[in-house]
Amino acid sequence: MRVLSIFRKLVLWIVDHVRLTWMIVVGLILLSLFSATFLRINTNILELLPPDEPTTIAVKRLQEEDGKLGALTIGVKGDVENVHQVLSQLQKEFEASEMVEFAVYEIPEEWQQRLGLLQLTVAELRDLETRLQGGLALGPAASNPLLASQLFALGPLTEKLANSNGVLPTSGDGIYRLIVRPTGSPYDPDFAQPFWEFANQVIDNTDFDAAHVDLVWLGGAYRHAVEDREVIIRDISTTSIVSFLLVLVLVAVAFKDVQALPILFFPLILGSSLTWGFTALVIGEVNTFTSTFTAILLGLGVDFAIHLYSRYREELTEVGDQREALAIAFEGAGPPCFTAAITSAGGFLALRFAGFVGFQQLGIVLAAGVLFCLGAVLLTLPLMVLWLDNQKSDASLLRPPFTAGVQVRYRSAKWWLMGIAVLASASWMVIPNISFEYDLSALRPNGLAYDELSAAERSVAKKSFQPLVVSVSSEKDLLTVHEHATQIVEQDQTRYLQQAVSIYSILPSDQNERLERLRTIQELNAHPNMVYLPTEIQKNLQVLKSQSLTAITKNDLPKM
């Protein structure tokens, strides 16, 4: 009986202290709204993954060590000369900004030939060396057409030397890319938003049509972060408004009383405000998974207001006094509402034990939100009744707009239960057909999911994906992993890997042996009998004259 009296005492205190209660309500709203201004929008899915998982720890460590996995990728298509002109212009405009560390679309010219020579295999260089020695051994006879047939293979081999700047690893899809590396993180909204606006301004100021170049792709982590932020903001407003309007219409149809709408909905506004303030103070952020909690709470919280207000209208018909009707209604319906709120909050708190942090946060917010909505109803419903409800007696409480079309009798209850059991059993048979969605891009708005992109956009988007990075403790282990991953890709053993890249992609492990072969060919190029070889072969071998055939280390490479 003591529990029941708590609700009676509460409502009587509110009725006797209306002005003070209003001051408390206004203070809570202002405090909650002020706290909500400190909320940040988090678009970084990595921060929502289970923090103790090895993968999460490894990726976070990688970001701390390097921190530059995010980049902006611009993909264009067209003639080489036109593309070079456009990308060169874009590169200058991006690198002129303090927000950009560097922009690159090709390897610097002074490095192209030097690195390209290292892409020729030892077998190719050995074959070239052997054939060149044989050709030089012929002396003046090399110009004899009858003997020159054995020199035919030298043409294609020496041509590889001459075009070595074109044998560096490329995508091979006809799309040229400009990679822009900003100075800030894509998950810092104070940086990502201005940078994305700057990038779009640069693109808008570039006349691709006049240059006869097609812009195929503009994307990367910065685009996704900004668009995800915009989607979250839109979801918060859209879902809240739609939920509010739907509940408003249903309540208006059920009660057939416009006056009841502000009485029922003002407590929801207070409850939602308190939840936003709580979220700001306890969690400090909203994300894709918590952005819709307001819509959920509007649907849940209105139940408490409906129960208490309906009960009040019942008692008002009997006692004819607002104060006493409120006391009886709160004493009778208050405990069931409180029990319902506690059980709902307990159910939501179960999400706190989920591994995914996004679900943990959603469970905490909804659990607290349900209790805040109940508290807001208990606090403000009496105030709204005293202010707006002037009906002294009204037998119509909650008029359902529809009546039951089927009357269920006890004698048929067992058949209803059997039917429900059969339906439940059939539902369990369908559960194994439920699939899991692993592609987070499918959760993006229409038109932005990977499956909805064009073939050209997919080609560039693939190159924009953040890589799977393998960290090892030694150069020997790195070489082992690189060779194994390269073999998997070349033999098409899996559809999950499209390319394996490491320092050994441009600086092969047998670099010294290749350089030794190149030095031998370079010495042979100075042989006196070289003048007897075909002019085309002599021209192709000229590329080695000015080359410094010394070993290259990763510290020697240009910054990219």
Side-chain angles (χ1 to χ4, degrees):
M1 187 66 185
R2 190 179 71 177
V3 175
L4 299 181
S5 64
I6 292 177
F7 295 94
R8 182 182 183 91
K9 289 179 179 179
L10 174 63
V11 70
L12 292 178
W13 185 91
I14 293 173
V15 171
D16 295 337
H17 301 83
V18 173
R19 180 172 298 180
L20 177 59
T21 307
W22 273 116
M23 293 175 61
I24 294 174
V25 170
V26 173
L28 289 174
I29 292 178
L30 294 177
L31 180 62
S32 299
L33 295 179
F34 174 75
S35 300
T37 59
F38 294 96
L39 270 174
R40 71 182 183 95
I41 297 176
N42 185 11
T43 59
N44 188 1
I45 194 70
L46 178 62
E47 295 184 5
L48 302 179
L49 297 177
D52 298 330
E53 287 291 324
T55 301
T56 308
I57 295 173
V59 174
K60 286 184 176 180
R61 186 183 66 183
L62 180 66
Q63 286 195 342
E64 292 173 358
E65 294 175 354
D66 182 59
K68 298 175 182 177
L69 291 180
L72 178 70
T73 303
I74 302 172
V76 298
K77 201 169 187 178
D79 293 336
V80 177
E81 293 183 3
N82 296 336
V83 166
H84 178 81
Q85 182 180 359
V86 169
L87 293 184
S88 178
Q89 176 188 345
L90 290 174
Q91 181 184 27
K92 292 178 181 178
E93 292 190 35
F94 275 108
E95 290 189 336
S97 172
E98 295 180 353
M99 293 187 290
V100 175
E101 183 177 350
F102 65 83
V104 61
Y105 71 93
E106 65 178 1
I107 297 176
E109 186 175 353
E110 62 271 19
W111 282 93
Q112 289 182 16
Q113 196 81 54
R114 191 176 178 187
L115 292 174
L117 290 171
L118 294 178
Q119 308 310 308
L120 300 176
T121 66
V122 172
E124 291 174 328
L125 293 173
R126 184 187 299 115
D127 189 19
L128 174 58
E129 177 187 346
T130 302
R131 292 180 181 275
L132 184 57
Q133 288 174 340
L136 293 174
L138 293 175
S143 57
N144 188 329
L146 296 177
L147 299 177
S149 58
Q150 61 178 300
L151 302 178
F152 288 161
L154 274 175
L157 289 174
T158 57
E159 188 176 351
K160 284 189 176 182
L161 282 178
N163 299 326
S164 57
N165 59 341
V167 299
L168 289 172
T170 57
S171 59
D173 55 9
I175 299 175
Y176 301 86
R177 297 164 179 80
L178 175 68
I179 307 298
V180 181
R181 180 61 55 78
T183 57
S185 169
Y187 303 112
D188 178 9
D190 294 331
F191 177 84
Q193 185 72 38
F195 171 73
W196 180 243
E197 293 174 356
F198 164 72
N200 279 279
Q201 183 180 1
V202 172
I203 295 299
D204 292 339
N205 293 338
T206 304
D207 194 347
F208 292 95
D209 293 334
H212 304 289
V213 172
D214 296 326
L215 176 63
V216 179
W217 178 256
L218 175 64
Y222 294 85
R223 173 183 178 178
H224 296 155
V226 172
E227 289 180 345
D228 288 349
R229 176 183 172 85
E230 293 173 349
V231 169
I232 290 174
I233 294 175
R234 185 168 64 249
D235 286 349
I236 291 173
S237 57
T238 302
T239 57
S240 299
I241 293 173
V242 172
S243 177
F244 183 86
L245 292 177
L246 287 175
V247 176
L248 188 72
V249 170
L250 293 175
V251 170
V253 171
F255 273 90
K256 297 182 174 66
D257 183 3
V258 177
Q259 189 172 255
L261 298 181
I263 295 176
L264 295 175
F265 277 91
F266 181 77
L268 294 183
I269 296 175
L270 174 60
S272 298
S273 300
L274 293 173
T275 307
W276 277 100
F278 170 83
T279 304
L281 295 175
V282 176
I283 297 178
E285 65 181 36
V286 290
N287 51 59
T288 303
F289 302 91
T290 58
S291 59
T292 58
F293 74 82
T294 302
I296 298 174
L297 290 179
L298 288 176
L300 292 174
V302 74
D303 292 347
F304 306 133
I306 290 175
H307 290 311
L308 289 169
Y309 184 57
S310 300
R311 184 63 182 272
Y312 154 75
R313 297 286 292 275
E314 282 186 14
E315 300 302 333
L316 182 63
T317 304
E318 298 293 331
V319 300
D321 178 68
Q322 285 185 321
R323 187 176 188 275
E324 185 61 23
L326 284 169
I328 297 174
F330 272 56
E331 188 174 33
C337 289
F338 178 75
T339 303
I342 290 296
T343 53
S344 297
F348 288 130
L349 278 178
L351 293 175
R352 178 62 182 82
F353 299 97
F356 187 64
V357 177
F359 293 151
Q360 294 180 12
Q361 294 178 352
L362 180 63
I364 294 173
V365 170
L366 290 178
V370 169
L371 297 179
F372 281 132
C373 285
L374 175 62
V377 170
L378 296 176
L379 188 62
T380 60
L381 186 65
L383 298 178
M384 300 301 293
V385 166
L386 294 175
W387 179 25
L388 298 176
D389 192 356
N390 297 320
Q391 302 181 38
K392 298 301 180 182
S393 61
D394 189 350
S396 61
L397 301 169
L398 182 63
R399 305 185 184 96
F402 307 105
T403 56
V406 179
Q407 184 178 4
V408 181
R409 295 182 174 86
Y410 286 111
R411 62 187 181 186
S412 60
K414 61 181 180 180
W415 300 110
W416 282 98
L417 291 174
M418 290 176 61
I420 293 173
V422 171
L423 182 61
S425 301
S427 300
W428 277 99
M429 297 174 63
V430 182
I431 290 179
N433 297 328
I434 298 177
S435 60
F436 291 91
E437 179 59 76
Y438 297 102
D439 181 12
L440 290 179
S441 74
L443 304 180
R444 300 187 185 279
N446 293 335
L448 295 180
Y450 178 77
D451 290 339
E452 298 171 334
L453 300 178
S454 65
E457 289 175 330
R458 288 188 188 183
S459 177
V460 187
K462 282 183 178 181
K463 304 299 180 181
S464 303
F465 291 162
Q466 291 194 0
L468 171 65
V469 181
V470 180
S471 297
V472 293
S473 57
S474 67
E475 295 286 345
K476 181 180 179 181
D477 293 339
L478 176 60
L479 177 59
T480 302
V481 173
H482 173 81
E483 291 177 345
H484 181 59
T486 302
Q487 181 181 7
I488 292 176
V489 173
E490 291 177 349
Q491 297 179 1
D492 199 20
Q493 296 179 11
T494 177
R495 63 186 182 92
Y496 299 109
L497 297 179
Q498 57 177 321
Q499 188 178 9
V501 179
S502 76
I503 190 64
Y504 293 112
S505 300
I506 54 176
L507 298 181
S509 58
D510 56 353
Q511 177 186 181
N512 291 330
E513 187 176 355
R514 300 188 192 198
L515 287 173
E516 186 63 32
R517 296 288 178 182
L518 286 169
R519 293 190 194 101
T520 302
I521 297 173
Q522 189 180 51
E523 294 173 358
L524 292 173
N525 191 33
H527 195 281
N529 290 341
M530 182 62 67
V531 295
Y532 300 112
L533 297 181
T535 305
E536 182 182 354
I537 295 176
Q538 295 182 46
K539 183 179 178 181
N540 290 339
L541 291 174
Q542 290 298 312
V543 69
L544 289 176
K545 280 191 174 182
S546 59
Q547 288 298 323
S548 174
L549 300 177
T550 57
I552 304 173
T553 66
K554 57 185 178 182
N555 294 328
D556 298 328
L557 296 173
K559 185 178 181 182
M560 287 187 179

